[in-house]
Amino acid sequence: MASVQGATSITTPARKPHMGWGSLANMSFGFFGIQIGFVLQNGNMSRIFQTLGASMDDLPALWVAAPLTGLIVQPIIGHLSDKTWNSFGRRRPYFVTGALLAAISLFLMPLAPTFAAPLLFAAALLWILDASLNIAMEPFRAFVGDMLDKSQHATGYAVQTAFIGAGAVVAAIFPWLLDQFGVSNVAADGQIPDTVKWSFWAGGVALFTAIMWTVFTTKEYSPEQMAAFEAAREVDEGESVNALASKSYISPLLWIVAGAIVALSVEPLELQKEIYLLGGLLATYGVLSALGISMAKRGKHANMLSSIVGDFSGMPETMKRLALVQFFSWSALFIMWIYSGPIVSQYFYGSADPTTAAYNEGANWWNLIYTVQNGVAAVAALLVLPALARNFGKARTHMTCLLLGALGFLGFFVLRDPNLLIVCEVLKGIAWASILAMPYAILASSLPQKKLGIYMGLFNIFIVVPQLLVATVMGSVMNAFFPGEPIWTMLFAAASWTLAGLAMLRVQVPGETSTETVNA
């Protein structure tokens, strides 16, 4: 069993000791399992929904469960994990809870056709699965900041990204491998293919095992050690709430009005019904902000709502600028997860009918080339990104990678040979590696340790919000301008990553010349 160097010493050092490669691997191995769960979800849920009777136009509404769950769960889990200290640790209780619930969800998903209202059951189970994955995932982001010295943050997130890529490769290729060994890849109308069933069941076991490996091989620092390590970055936990108490109610009112305008525009403009959700979310944020301000003004500082609202409104400047980059980055990714599988089947294999062999051959090809993207990400995270960051800086590295990824999306739009999509996935894999590592490496070193969990959770809002916008708005855009032609979503994705890359020009990274190494 690996342990944290110096964790049992009587005198806590001023800096966290450097970890060797073995300890870094143990600390991040749980993300291998988490990513298996995410990729099984992202790579197969459109296929499952269509198999259970959903149309192409229904997919954005059915997928809205995933980002909406993250929007709710991540800030709450971040806030709670910052304040959790018991004999089991600070972040590890959330690892175990998320692992158990996610494994159960993965086991139940292939059984959806056996339940009454199978499409509704699958959609509801997607909520549970995504919530469970977020419960485990969000603390893993803060875990790197907890356990590593600032000089190893970039390396720690690179190792984490390598395991994310490896887990994604395993999950994406597994249905294809099962097909090669004779497991049925085609099922009767309304039934889920055996390749998908066994992939979900094996994925549940792998997810739980990987997370438990991290739980039992990495010991967290005690509260006293953490306080000593982070003495230079101590913060007044009531500072953000005090600042919130000085704010007016104008901003919450504007959010509520904006939500009402969006909702009232649905009927006159003949928009998709999912737009009601967007309006509701805008208004809900306004209401919650007003409640948080009200409690802060009344001196009620010890409450989760005021703390979260106060921390959100008081984000550090670097975090605000990176938030815009995340917004455009993840808009493209959500488009990819919803539409790429159906696009490959329809435009590269000639079938939009999920009961045909051609459609399922296309779906398996998408799963297979998706492994290229994630395999490239795993390699790039360890061999390419650190070198680029040392020579050109984290901001320029991230910008370059995003622009390369935009070319990958553009390839989906202009090419028609499925084999050439491999080149597109290589380009997207480089961008994916950078998205998973660079923003967190830039951010982690500038955040106070006591609020690392909540700030990481709030940062992930800018992953979730663009996904919600895609899920609610994209259907209306496609129906209005490109009915029955989902290929145009790839052009939207290419533009989104281009904007994300250009937004990195505004991000200033202090200490770009510092060298980050691993003492093995």
Side-chain angles (χ1 to χ4, degrees), residues 31-215:
F31 232 125
F32 173 80
I34 292 172
Q35 194 61 19
I36 285 176
F38 272 121
V39 171
L40 286 173
Q41 169 186 297
N42 296 335
N44 293 280
M45 285 311 302
S46 287
R47 182 181 186 180
I48 290 173
F49 286 146
Q50 287 187 301
T51 298
L52 297 177
S55 69
M56 180 69 71
D57 293 338
D58 292 329
L59 292 182
L62 292 167
W63 266 95
V64 77
L68 183 59
T69 303
L71 181 65
I72 297 169
V73 169
Q74 288 177 0
I76 293 174
I77 294 299
H79 175 83
L80 293 176
S81 68
D82 279 344
K83 299 182 179 301
T84 297
W85 293 102
N86 56 42
S87 59
F88 201 45
R90 186 186 194 186
R91 315 291 182 187
R92 290 186 297 173
Y94 299 93
F95 297 166
V96 175
T97 302
L100 183 61
L101 293 175
I104 293 171
S105 300
L106 287 170
F107 179 80
L108 290 176
M109 186 66 77
L111 303 178
T114 65
F115 289 82
L119 185 58
L120 180 61
F121 178 82
L125 201 56
L126 178 59
W127 283 75
I128 299 171
L129 174 59
D130 202 80
S132 305
L133 292 171
N134 276 292
I135 289 171
M137 183 200 71
E138 200 286 327
F140 259 100
R141 291 298 191 192
F143 199 46
V144 171
D146 289 347
M147 304 304 297
L148 297 180
D149 184 71
K150 286 194 291 184
S151 64
Q152 281 195 300
H153 280 170
T155 303
Y157 284 113
V159 172
Q160 195 175 83
T161 298
F163 277 113
I164 290 172
V169 168
V170 170
I173 203 172
F174 201 62
W176 179 84
L177 282 176
L178 291 174
D179 185 27
Q180 304 310 300
F181 283 96
V183 179
S184 177
N185 188 48
V186 180
D189 189 20
Q191 298 297 312
I192 296 173
D194 287 343
T195 52
V196 177
K197 288 182 181 179
W198 285 104
S199 295
F200 271 68
W201 292 336
V205 174
L207 178 146
F208 187 78
T209 301
I211 292 177
M212 296 310 293
W213 179 273
T214 290
V215 167

Side-chain angles (χ1 to χ4, degrees), residues 477-501:
V477 172
M478 294 304 297
N479 282 336
F481 299 102
F482 312 106
E485 296 292 341
I487 191 66
W488 287 90
T489 61
M490 296 294 99
L491 196 58
F492 282 104
S496 187
W497 267 3
T498 300
L499 291 172

Side-chain angles (χ1 to χ4, degrees), residues 308-342:
I308 292 176
V309 172
D311 289 331
F312 184 76
S313 62
M315 288 186 298
E317 187 63 29
T318 299
M319 185 172 168
K320 291 178 182 177
R321 296 188 178 190
L322 281 171
L324 182 64
V325 178
Q326 291 291 84
F327 177 88
F328 288 118
S329 299
W330 286 84
S331 295
L333 288 167
F334 203 59
I335 289 172
M336 178 187 74
W337 290 326
I338 294 177
Y339 292 103
S340 291

Side-chain angles (χ1 to χ4, degrees), residues 133-446:
L133 292 171
N134 276 292
I135 289 171
M137 183 200 71
E138 200 286 327
F140 259 100
R141 291 298 191 192
F143 199 46
V144 171
D146 289 347
M147 304 304 297
L148 297 180
D149 184 71
K150 286 194 291 184
S151 64
Q152 281 195 300
H153 280 170
T155 303
Y157 284 113
V159 172
Q160 195 175 83
T161 298
F163 277 113
I164 290 172
V169 168
V170 170
I173 203 172
F174 201 62
W176 179 84
L177 282 176
L178 291 174
D179 185 27
Q180 304 310 300
F181 283 96
V183 179
S184 177
N185 188 48
V186 180
D189 189 20
Q191 298 297 312
I192 296 173
D194 287 343
T195 52
V196 177
K197 288 182 181 179
W198 285 104
S199 295
F200 271 68
W201 292 336
V205 174
L207 178 146
F208 187 78
T209 301
I211 292 177
M212 296 310 293
W213 179 273
T214 290
V215 167
F216 286 111
T217 60
T218 305
K219 182 180 179 182
E220 295 185 76
Y221 291 114
S222 69
E224 293 76 20
Q225 289 172 314
M226 292 298 293
F229 286 140
E230 300 297 326
R233 288 197 285 170
E234 288 287 339
V235 295
D236 179 3
E237 293 197 67
E239 180 181 345
S240 62
V241 180
N242 291 333
L244 187 65
S246 65
K247 293 184 178 295
S248 73
Y249 292 101
I250 295 177
S251 179
L253 180 60
L254 292 176
W255 284 107
I256 295 171
V257 171
I261 291 173
V262 169
L264 292 173
S265 300
V266 173
E267 292 295 333
L269 299 179
E270 298 182 350
L271 302 175
Q272 296 293 297
K273 60 183 179 299
E274 292 84 16
I275 300 296
Y276 283 118
L277 176 61
L278 177 60
L281 287 171
L282 294 174
T284 299
Y285 175 72
V287 171
L288 292 177
S289 295
L291 289 174
I293 292 172
S294 175
M295 284 188 270
K297 288 181 180 295
R298 287 181 287 160
K300 296 183 177 181
H301 289 192
N303 68 88
M304 184 188 303
L305 180 59
S306 292
S307 295
I308 292 176
V309 172
D311 289 331
F312 184 76
S313 62
M315 288 186 298
E317 187 63 29
T318 299
M319 185 172 168
K320 291 178 182 177
R321 296 188 178 190
L322 281 171
L324 182 64
V325 178
Q326 291 291 84
F327 177 88
F328 288 118
S329 299
W330 286 84
S331 295
L333 288 167
F334 203 59
I335 289 172
M336 178 187 74
W337 290 326
I338 294 177
Y339 292 103
S340 291
I343 283 172
V344 172
S345 293
Q346 180 175 338
Y347 292 91
F348 293 84
Y349 284 81
S351 177
D353 182 355
T355 65
T356 64
Y359 176 93
N360 285 284
E361 186 180 357
N364 270 7
W365 181 245
W366 161 241
N367 275 323
L368 185 61
I369 63 173
Y370 190 36
T371 66
V372 174
Q373 175 182 319
N374 288 290
V376 168
V379 174
L382 293 179
L383 302 182
V384 178
L385 294 184
L388 287 177
R390 282 194 298 271
N391 288 284
F392 302 105
K394 298 184 185 72
R396 289 191 182 93
T397 295
H398 194 40
M399 179 182 68
T400 302
C401 291
L402 287 168
L403 295 177
L404 289 174
L407 290 176
F409 276 120
L410 188 61
F412 270 71
F413 185 75
V414 301
L415 300 174
R416 285 300 172 265
D417 183 348
N419 293 309
L420 292 179
L421 293 179
I422 294 174
V423 178
C424 299
E425 292 306 295
V426 170
L427 295 173
K428 289 162 60 185
I430 294 171
W432 178 229
S434 190
I435 288 169
L436 292 173
M438 286 297 115
Y440 296 98
I442 293 170
L443 191 63
S445 299
S446 63

Side-chain angles (χ1 to χ4, degrees), residues 454-477:
I454 179 59
Y455 274 133
M456 286 295 183
L458 292 172
F459 190 56
N460 283 336
I461 286 177
F462 301 99
I463 293 174
V464 172
V465 169
Q467 295 179 53
L468 283 170
L469 286 174
V470 170
T472 55
V473 174
M474 187 58 69
S476 294
V477 172

